[in-house]
Amino acid sequence: MLQLTQTAKEKLHASLARSETVNDEGKCFRIVPKDEKTLTLTIATPENSDSTFSHEGQVILALPEALQPLFEDKSLDIDDGGNLTVS
């Protein structure tokens, strides 16, 4: 199962707080395919089959069931440049 570092949780939470798109409750970042080889984050309502990750009582990230095997034993963190990284 994907693990989020505390730093990643804080960054995602802060980014959601600043986003005007998240006016509707229940929206969070969701990992989705951008194309055949790339994944991206979008702001959406999690689906029932998604794995969700919370910080300070708010869902901050949703991982679709179909993508969960790709993130088995992976960690989401922030690099020195402030970017999200998966390792």
Side-chain angles (χ1 to χ4, degrees):
M1 171 64 93
L2 177 67
Q3 300 294 314
L4 274 67
T5 65
Q6 186 65 26
T7 306
K9 288 179 184 180
E10 290 169 359
K11 177 158 181 130
L12 290 170
H13 186 264
S15 294
L16 282 173
R18 288 190 306 269
S19 175
E20 294 178 14
T21 309
V22 188
N23 289 333
D24 299 330
E25 286 195 32
K27 300 247 179 172
C28 68
F29 287 108
R30 190 165 189 265
I31 300 173
V32 295
K34 182 176 182 179
D35 55 42
E36 290 182 16
K37 296 181 181 180
T38 310
L39 298 173
T40 190
L41 291 178
T42 187
I43 294 179
T45 303
E47 296 182 6
N48 290 336
S49 60
D50 290 351
S51 290
T52 57
F53 304 86
S54 299
H55 181 70
E56 294 185 9
Q58 178 185 9
V59 174
I60 55 169
L61 181 68
L63 178 62
E65 183 176 33
L67 297 177
Q68 291 173 14
L70 297 174
F71 290 91
E72 196 67 34
D73 298 325
K74 301 287 183 196
S75 179
L76 185 67
D77 200 359
I78 305 295
D79 66 16
D80 293 337
N83 301 304
L84 289 170
T85 61
V86 176
S87 58

